Amino acid sequence: MEQLEGDNTCMAALSLEDRVVAQDQPFEMYTHQHQHQCAGGGGADEVVGTTTTKKKKQKKKKKAAATKLGLLSDGDSAAGVHLLLPSQKLVEKNFPWTTVIRPRRGRCAIATRAIKAGEVVIAEQAVAFVPRSQDHTAVCHACCKDLGHNSFSFECPVCKHVVYCQECQAKALDNHSSWCAVSQQLNEIAKKSDCDEDLLRFVLALALRQPSRSEHSKKDALGLQTHQDKVSAAWKASVKKGCSLLLSTYESSLGNAGGANQHKETSLHSSVEELQILAMLVNTNAHGMGAQGLHNTDVALGIFPFVSMLNHSCWPNCCFASEGSVMYVRATQDIAKDSELCVSYINLYEPRGVRKQNLADSKHFDCSCPRCSEPLISSIDRFLEGCLCTVRGCSGVLLKSSSLHAKNVKSEDNSLSSWECDLCSHVVDPHAPGPLFPGKALTLDNKPWELVPAAENSFAAAMGVYRERRFKDARVLLERFLADFSGKLHPLHVLLFDALTPLMNCCRAMGDAAEGSRFCHIILDCLEKVIPGLSLELANFYFCLGEMYSERAEARSTSQVLAKRYRKQAQETFQRVRAIRETCLGKANLPPY
């Protein structure tokens, strides 16, 4: 994402034009989707003709807006046209990769030499960024510096939204004065248009930036894909209304401020159509930015054109993390020459269908990475959604036949699907005539189409109590959930895995480090089996484990012999954390709270 302030003028070893990353959070996921109905009636031929003419005019407007901004048109995007970003060749001279076009993958970043684990492959300053509304006091709105408890910060007394650090305060506030009045009204505009407030704030930041500043960084951002032809009509309608209100409110605020020269200098120089296109660009290419502490929380969103050149993979070989307004991408493993560099856009401990749907909805592509391309019958993905086969002596898992054989069955038809074992090929059909298991009473174990919904309901009930911070009651419900469904769902099943972290937290809240560490061991075992490679998530769980070893060592009831063992285990675990963080972050330290 692009950054709001600062001139980008020089080229350094690890930055382009002074531009030196939880998971992507597309704005489309945060806007409410409306169902629009067309008014019917007589005169069908006349309505069609009018609608066609109107659509042609709208298409011309959008194409003109895209041309003015320097973006690909809908036709170019649909045809798979991928152009080099303006500064791309300059960047590739400084980093160990180049771009090629590959079928079904589009633009790919390919290693031009062998890359070592921990090596920086991209270091890029945001072209623009905006802090998330719920975290707007966490970082400086000018440099994205973390505003800790002991840091000086200054909040705008008028809009009470923007916050600056001591170093940025004077210059940033002067710049902010031109759009402070609009900032006060963005929340109301978002409500009226049913559009995400942070998206509108980002669009405003990009629009304000366009008339000036470094041309290269701006054009690099505008050279990214927008997927205009793939976003939903409801989302487009909400964004159009939001951009229209944003533009009118901004121009009105300038008029009220007075001064022809000031109006000329701070005008958005953008039409509603151009603002819409900027919104689509942000929706497709926004990256999370945030703290590198224990929770790895995204506190801001930014545009990073060259980070966006790296495609997604459900088995990534790189990870990204930000420091201030700079995003660093590092290799998490040794990468051979001519291999593709990939990062992850989503939570990877999800069943294949969920991952693919998330990427289709938020990033508008069908994932064809090696993990998603491997036949499900031989992939570890089958365990994340499988129930244990009940045939005596079989160690296989029951999967929906539609998933096992990769049939594209609509989600609403999934309840009609039969289930099939990956090993013994035993089929269980909810609509088969006669008893499923002759001579055997039916139980939940033998009806996976009922077992999975029952597990989902039980888990949801436990999580409801957990979110109320009733840790004692939540622990009872979560332990009961595991007792009821372990041995029925595969041990790596996503529902069983998702119950482990809140259960570990309940144990810690109750001072039971022994049970907490046991659950943490299971979490780590699952993660390392399903998602091989290093990640900050893995480091954080190891850190929790190390803390619990330390707690057990210091407990009064612990003998000296056990205390010595726990201290050694804690030391070894913290060393593991440092090693992972050094690879992923370039820092061999423990995460701050």
Side-chain angles (χ1 to χ4, degrees):
M1 301 189 174
E2 303 196 5
Q3 194 173 342
L4 300 181
E5 285 92 13
D7 249 344
N8 301 325
T9 55
C10 64
M11 180 71 191
L14 293 181
S15 64
L16 172 66
E17 301 172 346
D18 203 26
R19 293 192 291 120
V20 222
V21 203
Q23 302 303 9
D24 295 350
Q25 298 293 329
F27 288 100
E28 186 171 5
M29 296 175 67
Y30 297 104
T31 56
H32 302 293
Q33 302 297 309
H34 293 297
Q35 293 183 351
H36 298 275
Q37 296 180 343
C38 299
D45 292 338
E46 183 179 343
V47 171
V48 171
T50 304
T51 303
T52 303
T53 303
K54 187 176 180 182
K55 284 184 177 179
K56 285 182 178 179
K57 288 181 178 179
Q58 289 176 341
K59 192 171 183 179
K60 284 184 178 180
K61 271 188 174 183
K62 288 182 179 179
K63 189 168 184 178
T67 302
K68 180 180 175 182
L69 290 171
L71 290 164
L72 294 176
S73 67
D74 281 354
D76 289 336
S77 180
V81 176
H82 299 278
L83 303 178
L84 290 178
L85 301 187
S87 305
Q88 191 164 324
K89 290 300 181 184
L90 188 60
V91 167
E92 290 176 359
K93 291 180 181 179
N94 293 273
F95 295 110
W97 55 272
T98 188
T99 52
V100 300
I101 308 300
R102 287 184 173 174
R104 295 193 66 191
R105 297 287 288 173
R107 261 187 313 217
C108 301
I110 304 298
T112 54
R113 60 170 174 79
I115 299 172
K116 292 291 186 182
E119 186 175 344
V120 174
V121 296
I122 301 178
E124 182 179 15
Q125 184 173 332
V127 180
F129 74 88
V130 291
R132 291 185 182 275
S133 292
Q134 66 266 30
D135 299 304
H136 72 99
T137 61
V139 294
C140 172
H141 288 221
C143 67
C144 211
K145 173 186 175 182
D146 184 30
L147 298 176
H149 297 297
N150 299 321
S151 300
F152 171 86
S153 61
F154 181 86
E155 181 182 69
C156 174
V158 182
C159 71
K160 299 187 181 300
H161 181 85
V162 301
V163 183
Y164 299 112
C165 66
Q166 188 170 11
E167 291 78 8
C168 298
Q169 175 188 344
K171 182 179 178 181
L173 277 175
D174 182 61
N175 191 24
H176 168 66
S177 62
S178 65
W179 56 278
C180 180
V182 183
S183 180
Q184 300 173 56
Q185 302 181 59
L186 277 176
N187 182 262
E188 189 62 29
I189 292 174
K191 290 179 180 178
K192 287 181 179 179
S193 61
D194 196 23
C195 187
D196 186 79
E197 180 183 348
D198 290 338
L199 176 58
L200 293 174
R201 201 173 291 278
F202 213 137
V203 168
L204 177 61
L206 285 170
L208 282 171
R209 183 175 180 195
Q210 283 185 27
S212 60
R213 305 173 52 96
S214 169
E215 286 298 308
H216 280 308
S217 58
K218 177 182 70 178
K219 289 181 179 178
D220 287 336
L222 296 177
L224 298 173
Q225 296 288 311
T226 60
H227 297 297
Q228 301 177 47
D229 56 328
K230 296 181 180 179
V231 295
S232 68
W235 187 84
K236 286 182 180 179
S238 295
V239 168
K240 182 177 181 179
K241 185 175 181 180
C243 290
S244 179
L245 289 172
L246 174 63
L247 183 59
S248 61
T249 302
Y250 185 84
E251 298 298 341
S252 175
S253 70
L254 288 182
N256 293 336
N261 290 334
Q262 182 186 17
H263 185 282
K264 184 177 180 181
E265 290 177 4
T266 58
S267 175
L268 290 184
H269 299 283
S270 300
S271 65
V272 172
E273 288 76 17
E274 290 164 7
L275 296 182
Q276 284 180 266
I277 291 174
L278 291 179
M280 294 177 194
L281 183 142
V282 171
N283 186 55
T284 302
N285 297 285
H287 285 267
M289 304 167 64
Q292 299 175 4
L294 190 58
H295 302 292
N296 291 332
T297 307
D298 287 346
V299 296
L301 295 161
I303 290 285
F304 302 88
F306 291 98
V307 174
S308 296
M309 301 295 282
L310 271 64
N311 286 329
H312 165 84
S313 174
C314 296
W315 277 337
N317 54 16
C318 297
C319 70
F320 51 80
S322 63
E323 289 186 40
S325 61
V326 179
M327 188 72 78
Y328 292 93
V329 181
R330 290 179 170 86
T332 56
Q333 62 189 57
D334 291 344
I335 301 173
K337 181 182 177 181
D338 296 328
S339 298
E340 183 178 359
L341 307 182
C342 296
V343 293
S344 170
Y345 298 166
I346 57 171
N347 174 21
L348 296 179
Y349 206 111
E350 291 285 4
R352 180 177 298 180
V354 174
R355 298 197 312 272
K356 290 173 75 72
Q357 191 64 54
N358 285 344
L359 291 166
D361 291 343
S362 63
K363 296 300 179 183
H364 314 294
F365 70 87
D366 180 33
C367 186
S368 58
C369 74
R371 181 178 171 189
C372 289
S373 300
E374 182 182 358
L376 188 63
I377 196 169
S378 60
S379 170
I380 198 168
D381 279 347
R382 70 190 189 277
F383 300 142
L384 275 62
E385 56 185 281
C387 304
L388 296 181
C389 181
T390 55
V391 173
R392 180 175 295 180
C394 180
S395 58
V397 292
L398 290 169
L399 297 161
K400 289 178 182 176
S401 299
S402 56
S403 299
L404 190 61
H405 300 295
K407 294 178 182 178
N408 293 320
V409 178
K410 294 182 179 180
S411 58
E412 60 265 28
D413 294 330
N414 279 346
S415 60
L416 305 177
S417 175
S418 60
W419 292 65
E420 183 176 339
C421 178
D422 64 330
L423 288 185
C424 71
S425 300
H426 174 67
V427 176
V428 184
D429 190 340
H431 303 292
L436 297 171
F437 296 88
K440 186 176 180 180
L442 282 179
T443 64
L444 203 61
D445 307 28
N446 304 325
K447 298 186 287 184
W449 56 90
E450 292 183 7
L451 175 64
V452 173
E456 291 172 342
N457 292 336
S458 178
F459 177 64
M463 288 302 296
V465 176
Y466 175 77
R467 292 188 186 98
E468 295 174 357
R469 302 185 66 81
R470 294 160 48 196
F471 297 125
K472 184 176 180 180
D473 294 335
R475 177 178 177 178
V476 172
L477 292 176
L478 288 166
E479 287 178 336
R480 185 181 301 162
F481 166 77
L482 290 181
D484 289 344
F485 295 99
S486 294
K488 298 175 183 176
L489 304 177
H490 189 276
L492 295 178
H493 197 286
V494 65
L495 288 173
L496 298 181
F497 177 79
D498 286 347
L500 293 170
T501 299
L503 184 51
M504 178 190 74
N505 292 337
C506 287
C507 292
R508 297 195 69 182
M510 297 174 64
D512 190 350
E515 277 297 280
S517 59
R518 183 172 73 86
F519 291 123
C520 192
H521 270 293
I522 300 173
I523 293 170
L524 288 165
D525 184 57
C526 292
L527 281 175
E528 291 175 333
K529 285 178 179 176
V530 174
I531 314 170
L534 302 181
S535 67
L536 290 177
E537 181 183 25
L538 191 69
N540 287 343
F541 278 113
Y542 270 112
F543 181 73
C544 290
L545 181 61
E547 284 190 316
M548 286 184 282
Y549 278 138
S550 297
E551 291 168 12
R552 297 176 73 180
E554 301 304 320
R556 292 182 178 180
S557 58
T558 303
S559 67
Q560 290 184 354
V561 174
L562 284 177
K564 184 177 180 180
R565 180 196 300 174
Y566 294 146
R567 289 190 188 97
K568 182 180 179 181
Q569 289 175 320
Q571 185 178 15
E572 292 171 348
T573 304
F574 287 141
Q575 191 58 38
R576 173 71 169 151
V577 175
R578 291 187 179 94
I580 297 174
R581 286 176 64 85
E582 183 171 21
T583 298
C584 296
L585 299 175
K587 301 175 181 178
N589 62 351
L590 296 179
Y593 286 93

